[in-house]
Amino acid sequence: SNISNNCAMNGAGVFAYGAGARVKRCIISGNNVRHGNANSDLYLQNPGAGIYLYSGATVENSLIVSNVVEGSARSSGAGVYMSGGKLINCTVADNVNKLDGKTSGVQQDGGEIINCIIWRNGNGSEYTEALNFAQKAGTETITTSLTNVDPLFKDSGKDIYRLRQSSPAVNAGTTGDWTAEDKDILGNSRVSNRAVDIGAYEYQLSGFRLIVR
């Protein structure tokens, strides 16, 4: 499913709350959070233009890109803000927080991140590690994810967020309760080689021909 071009005070793309909430194989893009003034309320501090995730909800095998936060002096987490729940096998990239010094990719104040790519999120004019990903000390768990490592996307046409064969994300993830029926964002087998890949897309080996003379 595509969830795009929405505007809200927080969770413009997805507001995921509660143990029964599950978002799976979605493209969440082009959503916008804009506030006219600063406010101490949690929702205005950490709006999650793409996803606001907490209290046991799960987002998996999804692409969170090109979401924007602007207009408030306190907002963090343009791609994802999470205070709980799980972010599993997601790619969070090219999100923009136009506020000086605020997190653009993922602001993790709780919850668990597993097998995710968080890359190239910035303020619209520059990308830094601090803008890309931030955590609140003592409340976060992150496992086998690429937070400030170039994942080597193909970066061309429809393949822009898919992985090259040489990507450090290929076969580098943690295999949890994956089965042969599990699918990536495109519906491909989640484990196509030795192990699950990191990110929303599972690298697919190209076919080859064996010629015997």
Side-chain angles (χ1 to χ4, degrees), residues 1-3 14 23-28 59-64 185 200:
S1 297
N2 291 318
I3 303 171
V14 173
V23 178
K24 189 173 183 179
R25 294 174 56 198
C26 290
I27 298 174
I28 301 160
V59 178
E60 58 187 312
N61 296 313
S62 293
L63 179 66
I64 302 108
I185 192 170

Side-chain angles (χ1 to χ4, degrees), residues 161-175:
Y161 296 110
R162 299 187 199 183
L163 304 174
R164 302 179 195 173
Q165 187 174 7
S166 57
S167 170
V170 173
N171 295 325
T174 295
T175 301

Side-chain angles (χ1 to χ4, degrees), residues 14-66:
V14 173
F15 188 97
Y17 169 79
R22 190 174 186 183
V23 178
K24 189 173 183 179
R25 294 174 56 198
C26 290
I27 298 174
I28 301 160
S29 66
N31 300 290
N32 183 280
V33 163
R34 181 179 179 87
H35 301 304
N37 52 54
N39 192 300
S40 61
D41 183 82
L42 176 65
Y43 298 127
L44 301 189
Q45 290 186 58
N46 302 297
I51 296 174
Y52 190 105
L53 174 63
Y54 74 122
S55 191
T58 299
V59 178
E60 58 187 312
N61 296 313
S62 293
L63 179 66
I64 302 108
V65 296
S66 302

